[in-house]
mmCIF file of all heavy atoms in Angstrom:
data_model
loop_
_atom_site.group_PDB
_atom_site.id
_atom_site.type_symbol
_atom_site.label_atom_id
_atom_site.label_comp_id
_atom_site.label_asym_id
_atom_site.label_seq_id
_atom_site.Cartn_x
_atom_site.Cartn_y
_atom_site.Cartn_z
ATOM 1 N N SER A 17 0.880 -1.247 0.018
ATOM 2 C CA SER A 17 0.022 -0.030 0.009
ATOM 3 C C SER A 17 0.822 1.291 0.011
ATOM 4 O O SER A 17 0.384 2.462 -0.262
ATOM 5 C CB SER A 17 -0.994 -0.027 1.229
ATOM 6 O OG SER A 17 -0.216 -0.109 2.400
ATOM 7 N N VAL A 18 2.195 1.185 0.344
ATOM 8 C CA VAL A 18 3.026 2.279 0.279
ATOM 9 C C VAL A 18 4.024 2.157 -0.819
ATOM 10 O O VAL A 18 5.159 2.725 -0.859
ATOM 11 C CB VAL A 18 3.765 2.460 1.599
ATOM 12 C CG1 VAL A 18 2.822 2.923 2.694
ATOM 13 C CG2 VAL A 18 4.470 1.170 2.065
ATOM 14 N N TYR A 19 3.745 1.389 -1.866
ATOM 15 C CA TYR A 19 4.354 1.269 -3.116
ATOM 16 C C TYR A 19 5.775 0.504 -3.023
ATOM 17 O O TYR A 19 6.467 0.751 -3.944
ATOM 18 C CB TYR A 19 4.478 2.667 -3.723
ATOM 19 C CG TYR A 19 3.241 3.371 -3.980
ATOM 20 C CD1 TYR A 19 2.688 4.265 -3.063
ATOM 21 C CD2 TYR A 19 2.425 2.990 -5.118
ATOM 22 C CE1 TYR A 19 1.461 4.819 -3.197
ATOM 23 C CE2 TYR A 19 1.153 3.609 -5.290
ATOM 24 C CZ TYR A 19 0.702 4.480 -4.323
ATOM 25 O OH TYR A 19 -0.526 5.130 -4.486
ATOM 26 N N THR A 20 5.989 -0.207 -1.975
ATOM 27 C CA THR A 20 7.180 -1.047 -2.008
ATOM 28 C C THR A 20 6.888 -2.262 -2.945
ATOM 29 O O THR A 20 5.758 -2.809 -2.911
ATOM 30 C CB THR A 20 7.444 -1.538 -0.634
ATOM 31 O OG1 THR A 20 7.700 -0.405 0.253
ATOM 32 C CG2 THR A 20 8.770 -2.476 -0.662
ATOM 33 N N THR A 21 7.838 -2.609 -3.740
ATOM 34 C CA THR A 21 7.618 -3.576 -4.761
ATOM 35 C C THR A 21 8.647 -4.795 -4.608
ATOM 36 O O THR A 21 9.775 -4.638 -3.978
ATOM 37 C CB THR A 21 7.843 -3.073 -6.227
ATOM 38 O OG1 THR A 21 9.171 -2.520 -6.371
ATOM 39 C CG2 THR A 21 6.785 -2.000 -6.538
ATOM 40 N N LEU A 22 8.309 -5.976 -5.135
ATOM 41 C CA LEU A 22 9.015 -7.096 -5.120
ATOM 42 C C LEU A 22 8.826 -7.971 -6.293
ATOM 43 O O LEU A 22 7.544 -8.066 -6.748
ATOM 44 C CB LEU A 22 8.795 -8.001 -3.872
ATOM 45 C CG LEU A 22 9.594 -9.288 -3.614
ATOM 46 C CD1 LEU A 22 11.054 -8.928 -3.298
ATOM 47 C CD2 LEU A 22 8.969 -10.105 -2.624
ATOM 48 N N TYR A 23 9.877 -8.492 -6.936
ATOM 49 C CA TYR A 23 9.639 -9.329 -8.149
ATOM 50 C C TYR A 23 10.354 -10.679 -8.024
ATOM 51 O O TYR A 23 11.440 -10.806 -7.282
ATOM 52 C CB TYR A 23 10.302 -8.522 -9.315
ATOM 53 C CG TYR A 23 9.747 -7.201 -9.624
ATOM 54 C CD1 TYR A 23 10.216 -6.112 -9.010
ATOM 55 C CD2 TYR A 23 8.625 -7.078 -10.599
ATOM 56 C CE1 TYR A 23 9.656 -4.828 -9.395
ATOM 57 C CE2 TYR A 23 8.066 -5.886 -10.827
ATOM 58 C CZ TYR A 23 8.600 -4.676 -10.186
ATOM 59 O OH TYR A 23 8.025 -3.469 -10.510
ATOM 60 N N VAL A 24 9.806 -11.602 -8.701
ATOM 61 C CA VAL A 24 10.469 -12.911 -8.781
ATOM 62 C C VAL A 24 11.701 -12.753 -9.700
ATOM 63 O O VAL A 24 11.679 -11.878 -10.654
ATOM 64 C CB VAL A 24 9.605 -13.995 -9.334
ATOM 65 C CG1 VAL A 24 9.170 -13.687 -10.736
ATOM 66 C CG2 VAL A 24 10.158 -15.315 -9.209
ATOM 67 N N ASP A 25 12.775 -13.451 -9.511
ATOM 68 C CA ASP A 25 14.070 -13.102 -10.206
ATOM 69 C C ASP A 25 13.998 -13.208 -11.624
ATOM 70 O O ASP A 25 14.533 -12.447 -12.484
ATOM 71 C CB ASP A 25 15.161 -14.130 -9.697
ATOM 72 C CG ASP A 25 15.763 -13.756 -8.313
ATOM 73 O OD1 ASP A 25 15.463 -12.729 -7.845
ATOM 74 O OD2 ASP A 25 16.407 -14.648 -7.753
ATOM 75 N N SER A 26 12.999 -14.081 -12.111
ATOM 76 C CA SER A 26 12.930 -14.388 -13.595
ATOM 77 C C SER A 26 12.270 -13.220 -14.390
ATOM 78 O O SER A 26 12.420 -13.111 -15.605
ATOM 79 C CB SER A 26 12.158 -15.587 -13.900
ATOM 80 O OG SER A 26 10.798 -15.558 -13.370
ATOM 81 N N VAL A 27 11.687 -12.191 -13.655
ATOM 82 C CA VAL A 27 11.117 -11.018 -14.405
ATOM 83 C C VAL A 27 11.765 -9.760 -14.013
ATOM 84 O O VAL A 27 11.335 -8.729 -14.540
ATOM 85 C CB VAL A 27 9.542 -10.969 -14.119
ATOM 86 C CG1 VAL A 27 8.903 -12.313 -14.408
ATOM 87 C CG2 VAL A 27 9.248 -10.479 -12.702
ATOM 88 N N LYS A 28 12.652 -9.710 -13.104
ATOM 89 C CA LYS A 28 13.419 -8.430 -12.694
ATOM 90 C C LYS A 28 13.980 -7.763 -13.882
ATOM 91 O O LYS A 28 14.584 -8.427 -14.648
ATOM 92 C CB LYS A 28 14.441 -8.747 -11.590
ATOM 93 C CG LYS A 28 13.912 -9.017 -10.242
ATOM 94 C CD LYS A 28 15.073 -9.238 -9.330
ATOM 95 C CE LYS A 28 14.505 -9.580 -7.863
ATOM 96 N NZ LYS A 28 15.605 -9.886 -6.958
ATOM 97 N N GLY A 29 13.783 -6.415 -13.919
ATOM 98 C CA GLY A 29 14.286 -5.665 -15.093
ATOM 99 C C GLY A 29 13.390 -5.694 -16.365
ATOM 100 O O GLY A 29 13.625 -4.939 -17.251
ATOM 101 N N ARG A 30 12.412 -6.588 -16.393
ATOM 102 C CA ARG A 30 11.500 -6.680 -17.564
ATOM 103 C C ARG A 30 10.178 -6.321 -17.216
ATOM 104 O O ARG A 30 9.384 -5.779 -17.911
ATOM 105 C CB ARG A 30 11.524 -8.122 -18.108
ATOM 106 C CG ARG A 30 12.930 -8.558 -18.521
ATOM 107 C CD ARG A 30 12.873 -9.956 -19.190
ATOM 108 N NE ARG A 30 12.338 -11.018 -18.397
ATOM 109 C CZ ARG A 30 11.223 -11.714 -18.724
ATOM 110 N NH1 ARG A 30 10.511 -11.520 -19.771
ATOM 111 N NH2 ARG A 30 10.810 -12.678 -17.860
ATOM 112 N N PHE A 31 9.672 -6.642 -15.974
ATOM 113 C CA PHE A 31 8.286 -6.356 -15.643
ATOM 114 C C PHE A 31 8.251 -5.219 -14.603
ATOM 115 O O PHE A 31 9.196 -5.079 -13.743
ATOM 116 C CB PHE A 31 7.636 -7.603 -15.010
ATOM 117 C CG PHE A 31 7.350 -8.752 -15.872
ATOM 118 C CD1 PHE A 31 7.818 -8.725 -17.252
ATOM 119 C CD2 PHE A 31 6.589 -9.865 -15.471
ATOM 120 C CE1 PHE A 31 7.591 -9.865 -18.071
ATOM 121 C CE2 PHE A 31 6.246 -10.808 -16.345
ATOM 122 C CZ PHE A 31 6.791 -10.853 -17.584
ATOM 123 N N THR A 32 7.171 -4.420 -14.557
ATOM 124 C CA THR A 32 6.923 -3.387 -13.584
ATOM 125 C C THR A 32 5.532 -3.453 -13.147
ATOM 126 O O THR A 32 4.634 -3.271 -13.842
ATOM 127 C CB THR A 32 7.223 -1.994 -14.214
ATOM 128 O OG1 THR A 32 8.527 -1.984 -14.806
ATOM 129 C CG2 THR A 32 7.101 -0.871 -13.216
ATOM 130 N N ILE A 33 5.381 -3.582 -11.862
ATOM 131 C CA ILE A 33 4.079 -3.511 -11.128
ATOM 132 C C ILE A 33 3.841 -2.152 -10.658
ATOM 133 O O ILE A 33 4.745 -1.415 -10.250
ATOM 134 C CB ILE A 33 4.019 -4.575 -10.053
ATOM 135 C CG1 ILE A 33 2.629 -4.700 -9.508
ATOM 136 C CG2 ILE A 33 4.999 -4.249 -8.894
ATOM 137 C CD1 ILE A 33 2.353 -5.839 -8.478
ATOM 138 N N SER A 34 2.559 -1.790 -10.818
ATOM 139 C CA SER A 34 2.145 -0.429 -10.318
ATOM 140 C C SER A 34 0.759 -0.376 -9.823
ATOM 141 O O SER A 34 0.025 -1.421 -10.185
ATOM 142 C CB SER A 34 2.407 0.715 -11.324
ATOM 143 O OG SER A 34 1.687 0.437 -12.501
ATOM 144 N N ARG A 35 0.287 0.594 -9.176
ATOM 145 C CA ARG A 35 -1.094 0.615 -8.729
ATOM 146 C C ARG A 35 -1.673 2.005 -8.807
ATOM 147 O O ARG A 35 -0.872 3.063 -8.626
ATOM 148 C CB ARG A 35 -1.202 0.138 -7.306
ATOM 149 C CG ARG A 35 -0.484 0.889 -6.291
ATOM 150 C CD ARG A 35 -0.359 0.134 -4.864
ATOM 151 N NE ARG A 35 -1.798 -0.025 -4.377
ATOM 152 C CZ ARG A 35 -2.117 -0.945 -3.436
ATOM 153 N NH1 ARG A 35 -1.128 -1.783 -2.998
ATOM 154 N NH2 ARG A 35 -3.339 -1.061 -2.983
ATOM 155 N N ASP A 36 -2.951 2.173 -9.021
ATOM 156 C CA ASP A 36 -3.609 3.435 -8.991
ATOM 157 C C ASP A 36 -4.737 3.339 -7.953
ATOM 158 O O ASP A 36 -5.777 2.765 -8.099
ATOM 159 C CB ASP A 36 -4.185 3.730 -10.350
ATOM 160 C CG ASP A 36 -4.864 5.126 -10.483
ATOM 161 O OD1 ASP A 36 -5.320 5.677 -9.397
ATOM 162 O OD2 ASP A 36 -4.916 5.653 -11.574
ATOM 163 N N ASN A 37 -4.450 4.078 -6.776
ATOM 164 C CA ASN A 37 -5.367 3.905 -5.719
ATOM 165 C C ASN A 37 -6.613 4.792 -5.841
ATOM 166 O O ASN A 37 -7.588 4.734 -5.019
ATOM 167 C CB ASN A 37 -4.697 4.371 -4.424
ATOM 168 C CG ASN A 37 -3.793 3.220 -3.891
ATOM 169 O OD1 ASN A 37 -3.775 2.104 -4.301
ATOM 170 N ND2 ASN A 37 -3.003 3.541 -2.928
ATOM 171 N N VAL A 38 -6.703 5.711 -6.865
ATOM 172 C CA VAL A 38 -7.960 6.354 -7.219
ATOM 173 C C VAL A 38 -8.779 5.487 -8.017
ATOM 174 O O VAL A 38 -9.958 5.429 -7.850
ATOM 175 C CB VAL A 38 -7.555 7.637 -7.962
ATOM 176 C CG1 VAL A 38 -8.799 8.429 -8.415
ATOM 177 C CG2 VAL A 38 -6.678 8.517 -7.081
ATOM 178 N N GLU A 39 -8.200 4.852 -9.012
ATOM 179 C CA GLU A 39 -8.972 3.938 -9.915
ATOM 180 C C GLU A 39 -9.090 2.545 -9.411
ATOM 181 O O GLU A 39 -9.780 1.725 -10.063
ATOM 182 C CB GLU A 39 -8.370 4.007 -11.319
ATOM 183 C CG GLU A 39 -8.300 5.253 -12.043
ATOM 184 C CD GLU A 39 -9.757 5.762 -12.395
ATOM 185 O OE1 GLU A 39 -10.548 4.898 -12.617
ATOM 186 O OE2 GLU A 39 -9.870 7.057 -12.367
ATOM 187 N N ASN A 40 -8.519 2.254 -8.242
ATOM 188 C CA ASN A 40 -8.535 0.940 -7.663
ATOM 189 C C ASN A 40 -8.059 -0.195 -8.695
ATOM 190 O O ASN A 40 -8.709 -1.253 -8.898
ATOM 191 C CB ASN A 40 -9.942 0.504 -7.201
ATOM 192 C CG ASN A 40 -10.357 1.440 -6.102
ATOM 193 O OD1 ASN A 40 -9.630 1.784 -5.213
ATOM 194 N ND2 ASN A 40 -11.606 1.901 -6.077
ATOM 195 N N THR A 41 -7.030 0.133 -9.418
ATOM 196 C CA THR A 41 -6.532 -0.745 -10.404
ATOM 197 C C THR A 41 -5.082 -1.031 -10.194
ATOM 198 O O THR A 41 -4.263 -0.248 -9.889
ATOM 199 C CB THR A 41 -6.658 -0.147 -11.848
ATOM 200 O OG1 THR A 41 -8.050 0.246 -11.950
ATOM 201 C CG2 THR A 41 -6.329 -1.035 -12.941
ATOM 202 N N LEU A 42 -4.713 -2.377 -10.469
ATOM 203 C CA LEU A 42 -3.348 -2.809 -10.458
ATOM 204 C C LEU A 42 -2.851 -3.048 -11.779
ATOM 205 O O LEU A 42 -3.669 -3.427 -12.707
ATOM 206 C CB LEU A 42 -3.426 -4.114 -9.662
ATOM 207 C CG LEU A 42 -1.997 -4.818 -9.391
ATOM 208 C CD1 LEU A 42 -1.204 -3.994 -8.347
ATOM 209 C CD2 LEU A 42 -2.196 -6.253 -8.915
ATOM 210 N N TYR A 43 -1.687 -2.746 -12.149
ATOM 211 C CA TYR A 43 -1.078 -2.897 -13.449
ATOM 212 C C TYR A 43 0.133 -3.747 -13.414
ATOM 213 O O TYR A 43 0.908 -3.908 -12.444
ATOM 214 C CB TYR A 43 -0.686 -1.552 -14.027
ATOM 215 C CG TYR A 43 -1.811 -0.616 -14.117
ATOM 216 C CD1 TYR A 43 -1.970 0.375 -13.146
ATOM 217 C CD2 TYR A 43 -2.722 -0.620 -15.161
ATOM 218 C CE1 TYR A 43 -3.126 1.326 -13.230
ATOM 219 C CE2 TYR A 43 -3.785 0.193 -15.298
ATOM 220 C CZ TYR A 43 -3.935 1.272 -14.369
ATOM 221 O OH TYR A 43 -4.997 2.114 -14.363
ATOM 222 N N LEU A 44 0.448 -4.436 -14.628
ATOM 223 C CA LEU A 44 1.667 -5.123 -14.813
ATOM 224 C C LEU A 44 2.104 -4.808 -16.171
ATOM 225 O O LEU A 44 1.635 -5.191 -17.183
ATOM 226 C CB LEU A 44 1.574 -6.612 -14.555
ATOM 227 C CG LEU A 44 2.924 -7.375 -14.604
ATOM 228 C CD1 LEU A 44 3.734 -6.999 -13.412
ATOM 229 C CD2 LEU A 44 2.605 -8.904 -14.638
ATOM 230 N N GLN A 45 3.287 -4.005 -16.312
ATOM 231 C CA GLN A 45 3.905 -3.736 -17.568
ATOM 232 C C GLN A 45 4.857 -4.808 -17.874
ATOM 233 O O GLN A 45 5.830 -4.929 -17.010
ATOM 234 C CB GLN A 45 4.500 -2.374 -17.637
ATOM 235 C CG GLN A 45 5.224 -1.992 -18.913
ATOM 236 C CD GLN A 45 4.288 -1.999 -20.061
ATOM 237 O OE1 GLN A 45 3.215 -1.419 -20.024
ATOM 238 N NE2 GLN A 45 4.712 -2.494 -21.230
ATOM 239 N N MET A 46 4.754 -5.492 -18.931
ATOM 240 C CA MET A 46 5.689 -6.670 -19.270
ATOM 241 C C MET A 46 6.438 -6.374 -20.557
ATOM 242 O O MET A 46 5.777 -6.229 -21.594
ATOM 243 C CB MET A 46 4.853 -7.891 -19.414
ATOM 244 C CG MET A 46 4.010 -8.275 -18.230
ATOM 245 S SD MET A 46 3.224 -9.964 -18.264
ATOM 246 C CE MET A 46 2.176 -9.592 -19.626
ATOM 247 N N ASN A 47 7.731 -6.218 -20.495
ATOM 248 C CA ASN A 47 8.549 -5.967 -21.594
ATOM 249 C C ASN A 47 9.562 -7.110 -21.842
ATOM 250 O O ASN A 47 9.655 -7.974 -20.963
ATOM 251 C CB ASN A 47 9.376 -4.695 -21.414
ATOM 252 C CG ASN A 47 8.475 -3.439 -21.238
ATOM 253 O OD1 ASN A 47 7.397 -3.321 -21.853
ATOM 254 N ND2 ASN A 47 8.971 -2.529 -20.367
ATOM 255 N N SER A 48 10.096 -7.102 -22.978
ATOM 256 C CA SER A 48 11.080 -8.183 -23.436
ATOM 257 C C SER A 48 10.518 -9.539 -23.118
ATOM 258 O O SER A 48 11.198 -10.461 -22.439
ATOM 259 C CB SER A 48 12.392 -7.929 -22.622
ATOM 260 O OG SER A 48 12.931 -6.661 -22.913
ATOM 261 N N LEU A 49 9.306 -9.804 -23.432
ATOM 262 C CA LEU A 49 8.654 -11.049 -23.136
ATOM 263 C C LEU A 49 9.333 -12.226 -23.781
ATOM 264 O O LEU A 49 9.937 -12.216 -24.927
ATOM 265 C CB LEU A 49 7.210 -11.062 -23.521
ATOM 266 C CG LEU A 49 6.221 -10.178 -22.565
ATOM 267 C CD1 LEU A 49 4.996 -9.832 -23.311
ATOM 268 C CD2 LEU A 49 6.079 -10.970 -21.358
ATOM 269 N N LYS A 50 9.308 -13.323 -23.016
ATOM 270 C CA LYS A 50 9.887 -14.645 -23.447
ATOM 271 C C LYS A 50 8.887 -15.677 -23.435
ATOM 272 O O LYS A 50 7.804 -15.596 -22.919
ATOM 273 C CB LYS A 50 11.111 -15.064 -22.441
ATOM 274 C CG LYS A 50 12.102 -13.988 -22.133
ATOM 275 C CD LYS A 50 13.083 -14.454 -21.074
ATOM 276 C CE LYS A 50 14.136 -13.347 -20.814
ATOM 277 N NZ LYS A 50 15.069 -13.853 -19.785
ATOM 278 N N SER A 51 9.199 -16.798 -24.246
ATOM 279 C CA SER A 51 8.182 -17.837 -24.313
ATOM 280 C C SER A 51 7.806 -18.397 -22.923
ATOM 281 O O SER A 51 6.749 -18.833 -22.769
ATOM 282 C CB SER A 51 8.746 -18.910 -25.201
ATOM 283 O OG SER A 51 10.012 -19.489 -24.747
ATOM 284 N N GLU A 52 8.791 -18.427 -21.996
ATOM 285 C CA GLU A 52 8.480 -18.934 -20.724
ATOM 286 C C GLU A 52 7.622 -18.103 -19.843
ATOM 287 O O GLU A 52 7.262 -18.470 -18.732
ATOM 288 C CB GLU A 52 9.818 -19.306 -19.946
ATOM 289 C CG GLU A 52 10.900 -18.053 -19.870
ATOM 290 C CD GLU A 52 11.920 -18.190 -20.928
ATOM 291 O OE1 GLU A 52 11.561 -18.516 -22.166
ATOM 292 O OE2 GLU A 52 13.059 -17.927 -20.656
ATOM 293 N N ASP A 53 7.256 -16.906 -20.422
ATOM 294 C CA ASP A 53 6.260 -16.088 -19.642
ATOM 295 C C ASP A 53 4.902 -16.419 -20.051
ATOM 296 O O ASP A 53 3.950 -15.925 -19.397
ATOM 297 C CB ASP A 53 6.511 -14.567 -20.089
ATOM 298 C CG ASP A 53 7.841 -14.090 -19.571
ATOM 299 O OD1 ASP A 53 8.291 -14.345 -18.437
ATOM 300 O OD2 ASP A 53 8.531 -13.314 -20.332
ATOM 301 N N THR A 54 4.755 -17.292 -20.952
ATOM 302 C CA THR A 54 3.401 -17.814 -21.357
ATOM 303 C C THR A 54 2.682 -18.459 -20.159
ATOM 304 O O THR A 54 3.174 -19.355 -19.556
ATOM 305 C CB THR A 54 3.473 -18.786 -22.527
ATOM 306 O OG1 THR A 54 4.011 -18.150 -23.655
ATOM 307 C CG2 THR A 54 2.168 -19.415 -22.849
ATOM 308 N N ALA A 55 1.449 -17.960 -19.838
ATOM 309 C CA ALA A 55 0.818 -18.472 -18.696
ATOM 310 C C ALA A 55 -0.551 -17.665 -18.531
ATOM 311 O O ALA A 55 -0.726 -16.614 -19.292
ATOM 312 C CB ALA A 55 1.596 -18.168 -17.373
ATOM 313 N N VAL A 56 -1.443 -18.110 -17.691
ATOM 314 C CA VAL A 56 -2.558 -17.368 -17.253
ATOM 315 C C VAL A 56 -2.119 -16.481 -16.104
ATOM 316 O O VAL A 56 -1.572 -16.960 -15.166
ATOM 317 C CB VAL A 56 -3.822 -18.133 -16.895
ATOM 318 C CG1 VAL A 56 -4.971 -17.274 -16.467
ATOM 319 C CG2 VAL A 56 -4.213 -19.078 -18.086
ATOM 320 N N TYR A 57 -2.338 -15.124 -16.232
ATOM 321 C CA TYR A 57 -1.928 -14.201 -15.177
ATOM 322 C C TYR A 57 -3.105 -13.809 -14.303
ATOM 323 O O TYR A 57 -4.189 -13.467 -14.857
ATOM 324 C CB TYR A 57 -1.291 -13.000 -15.779
ATOM 325 C CG TYR A 57 0.146 -13.208 -16.262
ATOM 326 C CD1 TYR A 57 0.351 -14.061 -17.365
ATOM 327 C CD2 TYR A 57 1.193 -12.682 -15.604
ATOM 328 C CE1 TYR A 57 1.654 -14.309 -17.821
ATOM 329 C CE2 TYR A 57 2.517 -12.988 -16.023
ATOM 330 C CZ TYR A 57 2.733 -13.774 -17.112
ATOM 331 O OH TYR A 57 4.019 -14.038 -17.571
ATOM 332 N N TYR A 58 -2.890 -13.860 -12.982
ATOM 333 C CA TYR A 58 -3.949 -13.462 -12.022
ATOM 334 C C TYR A 58 -3.471 -12.295 -11.161
ATOM 335 O O TYR A 58 -2.295 -12.253 -10.836
ATOM 336 C CB TYR A 58 -4.388 -14.627 -11.242
ATOM 337 C CG TYR A 58 -4.870 -15.866 -11.890
ATOM 338 C CD1 TYR A 58 -3.904 -16.748 -12.429
ATOM 339 C CD2 TYR A 58 -6.154 -16.103 -12.148
ATOM 340 C CE1 TYR A 58 -4.362 -17.939 -13.011
ATOM 341 C CE2 TYR A 58 -6.620 -17.316 -12.688
ATOM 342 C CZ TYR A 58 -5.618 -18.143 -13.217
ATOM 343 O OH TYR A 58 -6.055 -19.361 -13.786
ATOM 344 N N CYS A 59 -4.427 -11.549 -10.642
ATOM 345 C CA CYS A 59 -3.992 -10.643 -9.474
ATOM 346 C C CYS A 59 -4.748 -11.127 -8.290
ATOM 347 O O CYS A 59 -5.811 -11.777 -8.338
ATOM 348 C CB CYS A 59 -4.431 -9.186 -9.913
ATOM 349 S SG CYS A 59 -6.177 -8.745 -9.808
ATOM 350 N N CYS A 60 -4.300 -10.738 -7.128
ATOM 351 C CA CYS A 60 -4.801 -11.145 -5.910
ATOM 352 C C CYS A 60 -4.122 -10.300 -4.760
ATOM 353 O O CYS A 60 -3.150 -9.650 -5.127
ATOM 354 C CB CYS A 60 -4.535 -12.697 -5.580
ATOM 355 S SG CYS A 60 -5.424 -13.353 -4.232
#
């Protein structure tokens, strides 16, 4: 809630998580995607 972030090692430097507390929305910007990133993505 105070914008501290943590990433799994395999996505560090490629993915960026962010949040908008006005719009109640969570984001994930994914760059330099690899075949091993293929999956169903969920928020929780």
Side-chain angles (χ1 to χ4, degrees):
S17 60
V18 293
Y19 302 96
T20 302
T21 59
L22 182 70
Y23 299 90
V24 68
D25 285 348
S26 60
V27 308
K28 283 181 181 177
R30 301 188 298 121
F31 290 11
T32 302
I33 189 171
S34 60
R35 63 190 295 160
D36 184 332
N37 284 349
V38 174
E39 297 294 329
N40 298 322
T41 303
L42 184 71
Y43 300 99
L44 186 68
Q45 178 64 41
M46 305 186 296
N47 299 327
S48 302
L49 282 161
K50 304 176 181 180
S51 58
E52 52 262 45
D53 296 317
T54 295
V56 179
Y57 284 71
Y58 302 87
C59 71
C60 193

